[in-house]
């Protein structure tokens, strides 16, 4: 059967609310508005205001409440409308949620789940188009997931809720209407393993989230291209990455963050450290151009890697 | 205990930051005397007294400050992060005001889980300038979350006097701006602290809404061990010392109950407990270095994947 990414997210939240009375959803406009991306339409009627809570514009505060509630025995699903607004909650996320277990000598568990929407490309300009997941993946103590497929959008929340540590799920804005063939029941595949979405032996393309479908499209009619979907940005699945590199000897990383100090830089460094003698050429990267995202369409398209740019790069690297 | 910590700090047994509570004792003593072991307490980095009175042993506190494995946080937190889950003492927060919404979350969970558990959140008056303080009070009142907010107003946020940093000096008005019921307490008088806290806790129980207490007090020592106290004069400190809460208490109690003998006996007990705590801390071990990357996640997932280079 076919399912959209949006429907998948919706189903996963429903399952959580249906099966675990400790869960609740809290965020801006998740209830009466039906969710800013219509993911939780009708949920307020279905579950009531105790389980689906519309928060005031207080990201720092309601993330902090989520931390306290999680420590106190509930399983909060905190929705931060977009990653752009998550910056307001970074103190809670980094100094508290990520740090409490370690700082307390292992006593405190913060089973908090934060879902947020990321990515650019809808002409909503600089402050609404950021892609911070790679940057936030720098922080020890967090787990960072980026579902790129409808299957993963269906199952990631379940894994996140089972986790005793804070998990952030970055849902990509451009994937919401994407429709894919799915099985009756959600596929439960360990999110902390990268998946090879297309096999090949000449070039490894490493990517995640909104860039996956672009990479697959760019690699469609080209033999030898292996495309890896990272799925988890922290921890990274070194094994899958390294065994692919050892096979193909060429790497292209496609990352929606800005190039400098990005997740792609981290992956590139790891490959250099661990697979140096397996490489036939330097690791290449395609990332955002180093500017805040502009509004005008042609400028926006030029700032974020598009299928054409990825395809050209792949072709170049294959020859 | 605090005086001993100061001594140990100069001997370099305790390192990093150390924030002493001397002068503010009536606040923590009064409030904590009304709480039960199952109640939640969230505090700040000036929390040694709060931890002790919540049931964290002096041994465990001292060992933590020495950075030893037998410390309540196994030496990973230090003076500012005394945390003891079994005592429902959640720290131990060094980011001013960050613990306030977290305490609201704890109270929210207690309410949802229908637990018979009170939640008290301590913070300084400086925290009331942080945005998140307002966010937390707003949501606590909006959603009828039963929590006691205790503002320990010692009139200085590190080196900045309240009068120089906040436009509204009637702090209860800030709570009232969010419709949170509040009152002011003489924090140097432990009896008044008890009386008003009792009333506040009753209110919370009956109304199911938050309550804000402003407890006016004063720290006799500097902000921390590095503070040269350039921002206040000695006369002011001496004036407040005349209202020392421990002396006040001693003078209020019937001399037939608190006889010299009883007092000497109490002081000896305290002395013994502290010496025991120090001896315990001295002889306790440091965590082995091999355990450095442990306790980051529940199942050490980073450890199993990162050990490549």
């Amino acid at each position: 059967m076919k399912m959209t990414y949006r429907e998948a997210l919706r189903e996963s939240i429903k399952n959580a609310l249906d099966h675990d009375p400790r869960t609740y959803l809290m965020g801006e406009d998740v209830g009466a508005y039906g969710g800013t991306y219509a993911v939780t339409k009708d949920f307020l009627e279905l579950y009531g205001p105790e389980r689906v809570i519309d928060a005031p514009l207080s990201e720092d505060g309601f993330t902090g409440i989520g931390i306290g509630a999680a420590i106190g025995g509930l399983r909060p699903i905190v929705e931060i409308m977009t990653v752009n607004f998550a910056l307001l909650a970074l103190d809670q996320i980094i100094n508290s949620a990520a740090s409490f277990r370690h700082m307390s000598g292992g006593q405190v568990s913060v089973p908090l789940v934060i879902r947020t929407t990321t990515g650019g490309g809808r002409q909503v300009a600089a402050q609404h188009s950021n892609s911070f997941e790679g940057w936030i993946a720098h922080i020890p103590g967090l787990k960072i997931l980026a579902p790129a497929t409808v299957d993963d959008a269906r199952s990631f929340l379940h894994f996140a809720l089972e986790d005793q540590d804070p998990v952030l799920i970055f849902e990509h804005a451009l994937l919401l209407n994407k429709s894919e063939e799915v099985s009756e029941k959600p596929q439960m595949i360990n999110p902390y393993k990268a998946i090879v979405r297309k096999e090949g032996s000449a070039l490894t393309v490493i990517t995640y989230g909104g860039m996956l479908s672009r990479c697959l499209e760019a690699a469609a009619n080209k033999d030898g291209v292996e495309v890896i979907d990272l799925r988890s940005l922290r921890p990274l699945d070194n094994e899958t990455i390294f065994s692919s590199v050892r096979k193909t000897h060429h790497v292209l990383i496609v990352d929606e963050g800005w190039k400098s100090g990005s997740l792609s830089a981290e992956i590139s460094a790891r490959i250099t450290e661990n697979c140096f003698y397996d490489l036939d050429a330097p690791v290449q990267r395609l990332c955002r151009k180093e500017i805040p995202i502009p509004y005008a369409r042609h400028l926006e398209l030029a700032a974020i890697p598009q299928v054409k740019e990825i395809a050209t790069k792949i072709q170049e690297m294959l020859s | 205990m605090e005086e001993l910590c100061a001594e140990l700090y100069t001997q370099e047994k305790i390192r990093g930051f150390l924030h002493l509570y001397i002068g503010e004792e009536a606040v923590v003593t009064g409030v904590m005397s009304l709480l039960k072991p199952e109640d939640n307490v969230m505090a700040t980095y000036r929390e040694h007294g709060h931890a002790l009175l919540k049931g964290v042993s002096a041994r465990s506190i001292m060992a933590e400050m020495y950075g030893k494995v037998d410390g309540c946080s196994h030496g990973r937190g230090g003076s500012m992060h005394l945390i003891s889950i079994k005592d429902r003492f959640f720290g131990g927060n060094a980011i001013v005001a960050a613990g306030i919404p977290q305490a609201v979350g704890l109270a929210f969970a207690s309410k949802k889980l229908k637990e018979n558990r009170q939640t008290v959140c301590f913070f300084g008056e400086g925290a009331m300038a942080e945005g998140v303080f307002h966010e937390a009070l707003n949501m606590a009142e909006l959603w009828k979350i039963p929590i006691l907010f205790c503002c320990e107003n010692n009139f200085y946020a590190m080196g900045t006097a309240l009068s120089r940093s906040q436009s509204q000096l009637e702090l209860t008005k800030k709570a009232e701006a969010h419709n949170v019921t509040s009152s002011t307490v003489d924090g140097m008088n432990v009896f008044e602290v008890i009386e008003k806290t009792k009333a506040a806790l009753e209110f919370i129980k009956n109304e199911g809404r938050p309550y804000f207490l402003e407890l006016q007090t004063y720290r006799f020592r500097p902000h921390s061990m590095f503070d040269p106290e350039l921002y206040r004069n000695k006369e002011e400190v001496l004036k407040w010392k005349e209202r020392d809460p421990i002396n006040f208490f001693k003078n209020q109690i019937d001399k037939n109950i608190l006889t010299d003998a009883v007092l000497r006996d109490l002081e000896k007990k305290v002395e013994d407990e502290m010496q025991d705590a120090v001896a315990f801390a001295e002889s306790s071990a440091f965590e082995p270095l091999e355990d450095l990357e442990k306790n980051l996640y529940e199942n050490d997932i980073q450890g199993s994947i990162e050990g490549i280079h």
Side-chain angles (χ1 to χ4, degrees):
Chain A
M1 61 185 208
K2 282 214 167 262
M3 185 180 268
T4 64
Y5 191 91
R6 173 186 287 102
E7 285 162 348
L9 294 174
R10 192 182 161 75
E11 181 196 78
S12 70
I13 302 170
K14 265 190 124 275
N15 281 339
L17 293 171
D18 283 337
H19 295 118
D20 188 346
R22 300 170 303 171
T23 58
Y24 68 87
L25 180 66
M26 184 185 280
E28 293 158 11
D29 290 312
V30 294
Y33 191 93
T36 184
Y37 299 105
V39 173
T40 52
K41 189 159 172 291
D42 302 326
F43 276 31
L44 184 57
E45 287 77 60
L46 285 169
Y47 296 101
E50 299 279 298
R51 306 291 300 287
V52 176
I53 306 171
D54 279 324
L57 304 187
S58 302
E59 284 81 354
D60 191 346
F62 66 71
T63 301
I65 289 179
I67 291 171
I71 297 173
L74 296 180
R75 287 292 182 273
I77 305 168
V78 170
E79 179 173 315
I80 298 183
M81 197 182 274
T82 78
V83 73
N84 309 283
F85 316 150
L87 299 182
L88 294 162
L90 277 185
D91 169 61
Q92 292 289 341
I93 293 169
I94 297 172
N95 282 321
S96 290
S99 305
F100 277 164
R101 183 183 284 280
H102 194 256
M103 216 163 78
S104 67
Q107 293 177 74
V108 180
S109 166
V110 185
L112 171 68
V113 175
I114 296 176
R115 291 177 40 246
T116 190
T117 302
T118 187
R122 292 169 303 137
Q123 287 192 268
V124 290
Q127 295 175 342
H128 275 68
S129 305
N130 289 304
S131 213
F132 291 138
E133 56 280 351
W135 182 53
I136 297 173
H138 178 63
I139 310 300
L142 300 177
K143 288 182 183 151
I144 308 290
L145 297 178
T149 63
V150 175
D151 267 339
D152 284 345
R154 255 179 131 186
S155 69
F156 276 11
L157 182 62
H158 168 84
F159 288 110
L161 284 166
E162 277 193 340
D163 210 304
Q164 292 300 318
D165 295 303
V167 181
L168 279 69
I169 306 177
F170 291 86
E171 299 161 3
H172 202 280
L174 296 182
L175 294 177
L176 288 160
N177 292 323
K178 188 155 102 102
S179 181
E180 283 174 358
E181 194 63 41
V182 297
S183 50
E184 189 63 36
K185 287 212 151 96
Q187 304 262 36
M188 292 294 169
I189 305 171
N190 174 10
Y192 302 113
K193 292 226 83 29
I195 292 183
V196 176
R197 299 289 184 193
K198 178 180 181 351
E199 276 186 36
S201 49
L203 169 67
T204 300
V205 175
I206 301 170
T207 190
Y208 70 87
M211 291 289 128
L212 176 67
S213 52
R214 289 181 201 191
C215 291
L216 287 171
E217 204 183 316
N221 297 318
K222 300 181 176 63
D223 268 330
V225 183
E226 181 148 291
V227 180
I228 298 179
D229 175 8
L230 290 170
R231 303 168 79 231
S232 164
L233 308 187
R234 185 171 196 111
L236 284 169
D237 179 0
N238 294 324
E239 239 177 80
T240 303
I241 295 170
F242 298 161
S243 45
S244 178
V245 175
R246 286 175 186 135
K247 184 171 67 165
T248 66
H249 317 297
H250 295 88
V251 185
L252 171 65
I253 308 171
V254 182
D255 176 357
E256 202 184 325
W258 291 295
K259 200 175 210 171
S260 306
S262 63
L263 188 69
S264 66
E266 169 62 25
I267 297 169
S268 180
R270 288 190 195 198
I271 292 172
T272 305
E273 285 159 1
N274 294 281
C275 306
F276 184 74
Y277 299 102
D278 298 297
L279 288 171
D280 284 345
V283 174
Q284 304 272 310
R285 300 180 287 157
L286 273 181
C287 304
R288 281 188 176 194
K289 302 295 180 294
E290 311 252 314
I291 49 165
I293 298 303
Y295 159 71
R297 186 67 177 147
H298 68 295
L299 295 176
E300 183 182 64
L301 286 170
I304 304 174
Q306 304 297 323
V307 176
K308 191 140 169 262
E309 192 184 348
I310 301 170
T312 306
K313 190 72 179 177
I314 288 177
Q315 197 53 59
E316 195 186 291
M317 291 180 77
L318 282 175
S319 19
Chain B
M1 179 174 76
E2 296 293 72
E3 286 167 0
L4 190 52
C5 286
E7 254 180 65
L8 292 166
Y9 193 89
T10 56
Q11 292 170 32
E12 297 194 3
K13 303 280 182 150
I14 297 176
R15 312 301 309 268
F17 287 137
L18 185 71
H19 305 90
L20 302 174
Y21 201 64
I22 299 169
E24 303 188 37
E25 296 89 346
V27 173
V28 73
T29 309
V31 176
M32 301 294 246
S33 69
L34 297 165
L35 301 183
K36 300 185 295 303
E38 61 268 19
D39 293 332
N40 296 322
V41 171
M42 179 69 83
T44 69
Y45 51 78
R46 195 181 300 283
E47 87 287 30
H48 306 161
H50 304 71
L52 189 67
L53 293 182
K54 192 63 180 67
V56 186
S57 70
R59 283 185 163 197
S60 177
I61 293 172
M62 198 58 72
E64 183 57 36
M65 292 206 268
Y66 268 62
K68 302 288 183 84
V69 72
D70 291 311
C72 49
S73 305
H74 303 306
R76 298 271 174 158
S79 159
M80 294 190 290
H81 303 298
L82 300 176
I83 296 169
S84 177
I85 294 302
K86 65 173 172 59
D87 296 305
R88 303 298 295 190
F89 183 70
F90 297 94
N93 262 292
I95 304 291
V96 174
I100 303 176
Q102 292 162 18
V104 173
L106 285 168
F108 177 70
S110 288
K111 180 181 172 184
K112 267 196 172 251
L113 295 169
K114 298 188 166 44
E115 293 172 342
N116 188 12
R117 204 195 283 289
Q118 300 177 118
T119 299
V120 181
C121 182
F122 291 92
F123 49 90
E125 83 292 343
M128 292 177 66
E130 289 281 356
V132 76
F133 162 81
H134 297 280
E135 293 184 19
L137 256 74
N138 177 41
M139 287 184 278
E141 179 62 38
L142 186 67
W143 293 326
K144 310 255 177 290
I145 294 172
I147 176 171
L148 176 62
F149 294 111
C150 285
C151 171
E152 301 178 285
N153 179 8
N154 62 17
F155 297 95
Y156 288 90
M158 200 159 125
T160 306
L162 176 61
S163 55
R164 295 178 63 228
S165 65
Q166 296 190 37
S167 55
Q168 170 61 273
L169 296 180
E170 276 191 64
L171 299 180
T172 47
K173 284 218 164 100
K174 292 203 187 206
E176 282 156 19
H178 300 291
N179 250 7
V180 174
T181 310
S182 58
S183 55
T184 305
V185 186
D186 174 5
M188 306 307 262
N189 175 344
V190 70
F191 304 107
E192 193 179 317
V193 173
I194 293 173
E195 189 194 314
K196 295 217 165 151
T197 304
K198 204 181 252 182
L201 290 170
E202 270 303 302
F203 175 92
I204 295 168
K205 194 154 86 153
N206 297 333
E207 305 280 323
R209 285 167 54 210
Y211 199 98
F212 175 93
L213 274 177
E214 177 202 346
L215 302 120
Q216 295 187 345
T217 182
Y218 200 83
R219 58 168 162 78
F220 297 155
R221 298 286 183 104
H223 165 75
S224 72
M225 301 302 284
F226 295 110
D227 175 9
E229 280 186 288
L230 301 173
Y231 49 85
R232 62 185 189 181
N233 60 46
K234 303 237 180 331
E235 288 78 49
E236 183 186 286
V237 181
L238 286 170
K239 242 184 158 295
W240 277 91
K241 277 188 170 169
E242 285 164 25
R243 297 171 58 197
D244 181 299
I246 297 174
N247 287 341
F248 175 84
F249 174 76
K250 280 187 205 166
N251 292 335
Q252 293 293 310
I253 297 287
D254 184 339
K255 290 285 180 289
N256 295 319
I257 301 174
L258 192 63
T259 63
D260 280 343
V262 170
L263 190 56
R264 264 199 313 274
D265 188 51
L266 272 172
E267 282 168 359
K268 173 130 199 347
K269 279 207 173 76
V270 171
E271 178 69 33
D272 288 344
E273 192 182 338
M274 292 304 123
Q275 291 307 327
D276 170 79
V278 174
F280 177 79
E282 293 275 354
S283 65
S284 171
F286 283 111
E287 258 199 287
L289 271 180
E290 302 83 73
D291 289 349
L292 181 63
E293 290 182 31
K294 290 217 149 67
N295 279 326
L296 186 61
Y297 300 106
E298 192 205 14
N299 51 12
D300 282 333
I301 192 171
Q302 180 170 282
S304 67
I305 285 179
E306 297 296 68
I308 312 257
H309 45 86

